[in-house]
Amino acid sequence: MALLEVDNLSKAFGGVKAVQDVSFAVERGLVYSVIGPNGAGKTTLFNLITGIYTPSEGDIRLEGQSIAGIAPHALALKGMARTFQNLQVCMNMTALENVMVGAHLQLDRNLVKAMLRFPGLARRDRELRDEARELMRFVGLESYWNLGASSMPYGALKRLEIARALAAKPQILFLDEPAAGLNSRETAEIDELVRKVADNNVTVVLVEHDMKMVMNISDRILVLDYGKKLTEGTAREVRENPDVIAAYLGSNV
Amino acid sequence: MSGVRRHYSLMLLAAVLLLLPLVLPNNFYYDIVIRMAINAIIALGLNLLIGFAGQISLGHAGFIGIGAYASAILPTHFGWHPLLAMAAGAAIASSIAAILARPIFRLKGQYLAMATLGMGIIIAIVIKNEAAYTGGPDGMPVAPIGLMGFEIAGEKQWYWVLAATLLFSFWAAKNLIDSPFGRALRALHGSEVAAQVMGVDIVRYKVAIFVLSAFFASLMGSVTAHYIGFVTPNIADFFHSIELVTMVVIGGMASIYGSLIGAVLLTALPQALSTFEGWETVVFGSILMTCMIFMPKGLVPTLAARFGRNGREDP
Ligand SMILES: Nc1ncnc2c1ncn2[C@@H]1O[C@H](COP(=O)(O)OP(=O)(O)OP(=O)(O)O)[C@@H](O)[C@H]1O
Ligand SMILES: [Mg+2]
C-alpha cells in the first residue's frame, strides 16, 4: 500500500475548479514532485491534503486511512508536515523558537505544569533547545539561531520553515516551492537539503518551478494543468510527454 | 535563556518590592502601590491574551466584577468563607469565559472585540440590576478576608500579600511563555495556519488563555473588593476594561514587564496629574496619544530595541 493515496480529488472555489478529479499515489521513501503552470492547482492540492481545505469531492488516504476533511492539527499527529509557498514564519518569535514549535506534539503541553515549571517539562525544553539548534545546523542556519525571525533574510526563512517542519519528525513532508525567489546558488543548497531530508527516510512531496531541481531530484512527477492531472511518471517520461511540452510552451515557462 | 539568567529580572523585581517599604512615606503611597500591583497582575493576564496570543478582549472588567461581587455577596448573604467565595468567583468567571470563548474564538478581529465588549456590558448590567444582592449602583460593603485565623488588614499587610502575588504571577507568566504551551500561543499569533499544521489546536489554545486570564481577573477582583472593603458596579464597567487594555498597549504587547510598567504608569498618572485641576483627562489623553505615536510597540519593547537586544525583548 502506498503511503499517500489521492482518489478523484476535486476542489471548487465558486466557479473556479482549482483541482479536478486528481488521483495519484506516493510510495513511502520517495521524492514525489508536483509541477504545473501558475494557477494549475498545486498549492490547492497541498492545502487539501494537509487539511487546510476540505475537498469538494474525492478521498485522501494516509497509510490506508481516509483523512479527507480532518483538521490540520489532527493530521500533524499522523506525521504530516509542510512548508508554505507564501512564508508562514512566526515573526514574533526567534528562529530557534519557530523550530521548537515544530516539536509541539512531542511535548508536554500542560498549562499548569508550564506555569509552575515542573522539572520534567523544563528539562525536556532544554533538550529540545539543543535538538532545535541541531536542526538549524542541518538546514544551514546555525548562525541565526538566536535571532528574531523578523530580522532574517528571505532565503533563510525558507529554510527555517523546513527546519520547523522537520522538528515535527514527520513521515511525509510537503514542500511548496522551497526554492521560489532564491538565486541559483541558494537553489542548489535547497536541492541538496531536500536530498538530505529524503535520505533520512522522510517521504517528500515537492512543488517546485525550478525544472532542473525537479528533474534531478524526483522519483516520480505529477503534472497538473488547469486543476487536472496531465500525466504522471518518472522524470524522463514526463519530460518527453507531448502534452507536458505543450502545456509548458503554452504558458511560456 | 536558562538557569540564573532566567531570573535576573525577577530578582530585580523582588529586590524592588522588598526595598520599596523603606521609601514609602505613608499609607497614601502604600495604597497607590497596592493598586499598581493589582492592575499589573490583571494586565499581565490580559497581555497573555492580547499581546502573546493576539486575541483582543474589551470585556475583561466583567470578570473582575464577577470576582469582586462573589467576594462581596457570598460571605455577606450566604455566610461563605471569603476564600471559598473567591474560589467560587474565579470558577464562575472561568466557566463563563469557557462557555463564551468557543463561539467567540471562531470570530476574528472586530467581531471578537464586539463579542467581548457585549459580554462585559452584560455582566455590568446584571450587577447593576440585581440590587437585592449587589446593592445596585450604590454598591455594597465587603467583609474582611482572613488567612488561617489571621485577618489581612491595613495597607502594610496588603502590600506584602500583593508583593508576593505579583512576584509569583510574573514568575508563572515567564514560565508559561517559555514553555510548549506558551510557544504554541505565540505561534498562533504569528501564523495561525503554521501553528495548525504543527499540531496546535488553535481554538483550544485561545479558549484556554482566555479562561486563564478571566480566572486571574476574577481573583484580582476579589482581592480588590476585600482590600477596599467596598464594591461598586464601576469595577465591572467598560471604562475599566479599556483602562486595562491601555495598560497592556502602552507598556508593550507581548512584554511581561510592559504590563508592569503600563500598570504603574496608568495608575500613577491620574494621581500625578491631579494638579491640573479639571484638565487631567486631557493631559492624560495627550500623554497616551504621544506614547502611541512615538512608541507604537509600547514602552518596554521600544526601549529594549533601542538598547540593542536584537529587537526582541527577553519575555
Ligand atoms: N482560497 C481560494 N479562493 C478562491 N480561489 C482560489 C483559492 N485558492 C486558490 N484559488 C484558485 O485556484 C486556482 C489554483 O490556485 P493554486 O494556488 O492552487 O495554484 P498553484 O498551482 O499553486 O499556482 P502557483 O504556481 O502560482 O503557486 C487559481 O485559479 C486560484 O486563483
Ligand atoms: Mg502555489
Side-chain angles (χ1 to χ4, degrees):
Chain A
M1 176 194 7
L3 175 58
L4 177 75
E5 295 158 294
V6 171
D7 286 345
N8 307 105
L9 195 65
S10 298
K11 178 71 181 178
F13 299 104
V16 182
K17 291 173 177 163
V19 170
Q20 278 185 76
D21 203 27
V22 170
S23 303
F24 64 97
V26 179
E27 296 292 336
R28 197 182 287 274
L30 298 191
V31 175
Y32 191 98
S33 289
V34 181
I35 62 169
N38 292 106
K42 305 178 295 292
T43 298
T44 305
L45 181 65
F46 269 24
N47 285 340
L48 287 167
I49 299 172
T50 56
I52 314 272
Y53 297 151
T54 20
S56 308
E57 274 168 70
D59 197 18
I60 307 159
R61 285 187 306 278
L62 188 70
E63 298 180 296
Q65 280 185 319
S66 176
I67 55 164
I70 295 183
H73 66 86
L75 290 177
L77 205 56
K78 295 182 186 288
M80 265 198 192
R82 70 170 286 183
T83 65
F84 297 86
Q85 180 177 355
N86 56 336
L87 286 174
Q88 294 289 338
V89 173
C90 301
M91 295 299 182
N92 55 339
M93 302 169 83
T94 65
L96 192 76
E97 286 171 335
N98 266 280
V99 180
M100 290 167 83
V101 172
H104 180 70
L105 289 172
Q106 302 149 38
L107 305 171
D108 187 343
R109 279 104 61 194
N110 186 290
L111 172 63
V112 176
K113 283 190 199 168
M115 283 176 49
L116 301 179
R117 201 164 182 85
F118 272 38
L121 187 140
R123 194 178 332 108
R124 180 68 192 99
D125 241 33
R126 275 195 298 276
E127 288 166 8
L128 175 65
R129 223 162 253 281
D130 294 338
E131 291 165 20
R133 234 177 127 165
E134 189 51 50
L135 268 175
M136 289 188 68
R137 190 168 304 132
F138 182 77
V139 302
L141 291 178
E142 57 270 57
S143 57
Y144 292 102
W145 74 275
N146 203 18
L147 222 58
S150 57
S151 42
M152 289 167 71
Y154 176 81
L157 292 172
K158 285 294 240 191
R159 276 191 261 182
L160 185 62
E161 281 209 345
I162 297 177
R164 182 177 65 186
L166 289 176
K169 302 199 169 95
Q171 56 171 334
I172 185 164
L173 172 62
F174 295 82
L175 300 171
D176 196 350
E177 304 204 12
L182 302 184
N183 62 34
S184 58
R185 190 180 51 81
E186 290 170 322
T187 302
E189 284 168 6
I190 292 285
D191 185 326
E192 193 185 329
L193 178 57
V194 174
R195 277 173 211 275
K196 277 203 292 179
V197 171
D199 289 344
N200 278 291
N201 284 325
V202 179
T203 306
V204 175
V205 185
L206 174 73
V207 166
E208 186 46 65
H209 280 296
D210 188 285
M211 279 308 134
K212 194 164 138 253
M213 175 172 170
V214 169
M215 292 300 164
N216 279 331
I217 208 173
S218 312
D219 294 299
R220 292 190 78 77
I221 300 172
L222 168 72
V223 188
L224 292 183
D225 192 24
Y226 294 107
K228 289 192 189 127
K229 173 170 158 180
L230 204 57
T231 185
E232 198 242 26
T234 62
R236 184 197 197 108
E237 287 162 5
V238 163
R239 199 164 29 206
E240 290 167 1
N241 185 305
D243 291 341
V244 175
I245 296 166
Y248 270 81
L249 289 178
S251 65
N252 281 325
V253 173
Chain B
M1 82 224 75
S2 59
V4 181
R5 236 200 78 178
R6 260 186 78 79
H7 297 300
Y8 272 171
S9 48
L10 277 175
M11 276 153 38
L12 184 68
L13 179 61
V16 170
L17 290 169
L18 269 175
L19 296 177
L20 210 50
L22 298 179
V23 296
L24 290 178
N26 53 41
N27 279 347
F28 174 75
Y29 286 94
Y30 270 97
D31 176 62
I32 294 177
V33 173
I34 289 166
R35 287 168 197 266
M36 285 173 176
I38 291 174
N39 284 334
I41 297 165
I42 300 169
L44 182 62
L46 200 54
N47 204 348
L48 291 176
L49 178 74
I50 299 178
F52 288 96
Q55 311 299 314
I56 186 77
S57 167
L58 297 180
H60 247 56
F63 298 126
I64 301 173
I66 289 175
Y69 276 90
S71 289
I73 295 168
L74 295 175
T76 305
H77 292 292
F78 302 96
W80 287 35
H81 189 281
L83 278 180
L84 198 59
M86 188 187 270
I92 296 167
S94 317
S95 310
I96 292 179
I99 292 165
L100 286 176
R102 276 208 163 253
I104 286 181
F105 282 121
R106 298 199 188 285
L107 310 172
K108 273 196 181 130
Q110 69 273 38
Y111 300 109
L112 181 59
M114 292 309 291
T116 51
L117 175 68
M119 174 207 72
I121 289 175
I122 289 168
I123 294 172
I125 288 175
V126 170
I127 290 173
K128 270 197 193 119
N129 287 350
E130 291 300 314
Y133 287 109
T134 63
D138 298 333
M140 68 182 288
V142 185
I145 187 169
L147 288 167
M148 292 167 273
F150 163 85
E151 186 177 300
I152 310 173
E155 278 81 357
K156 297 211 169 56
Q157 285 178 16
W158 275 106
Y159 174 83
W160 291 114
V161 170
L162 280 156
T165 313
L166 184 74
L167 208 54
F168 172 79
S169 308
F170 275 76
W171 176 73
K174 260 174 101 68
N175 289 343
L176 183 65
I177 287 159
D178 199 17
S179 75
F181 185 100
R183 283 192 301 271
L185 270 189
R186 287 186 288 152
L188 73 86
H189 186 190
S191 164
E192 288 203 352
V193 65
Q196 280 177 302
V197 301
M198 298 286 80
V200 179
D201 182 348
I202 57 172
V203 173
R204 232 188 100 217
Y205 277 78
K206 291 178 189 177
V207 171
I209 199 65
F210 189 63
V211 170
L212 185 78
S213 67
F215 179 85
F216 280 110
S218 174
L219 284 184
M220 293 325 287
S222 294
V223 167
T224 310
H226 285 297
Y227 167 63
I228 298 177
F230 199 86
V231 307
T232 67
N234 289 350
I235 198 169
D237 73 13
F238 173 62
F239 296 102
H240 193 196
S241 292
I242 295 301
E243 198 185 340
L244 293 163
V245 173
T246 313
M247 288 176 191
V248 172
V249 175
I250 291 281
M253 302 232 266
S255 160
I256 290 278
Y257 291 100
S259 306
L260 178 63
I261 301 299
V264 166
L265 282 182
L266 265 88
T267 314
L269 261 184
Q271 308 286 342
L273 295 178
S274 56
T275 49
F276 285 90
E277 308 201 358
W279 287 92
E280 58 261 40
T281 8
V282 177
V283 179
F284 187 68
S286 315
I287 293 177
L288 295 190
M289 273 163 54
T290 316
C291 274
M292 282 342 288
I293 290 166
F294 291 104
M295 297 188 248
K297 287 185 170 169
L299 280 167
V300 173
T302 308
L303 295 177
R306 173 74 46 92
F307 296 106
R309 278 218 241 128
N310 262 336
R312 196 188 82 100
E313 192 232 350
D314 156 23

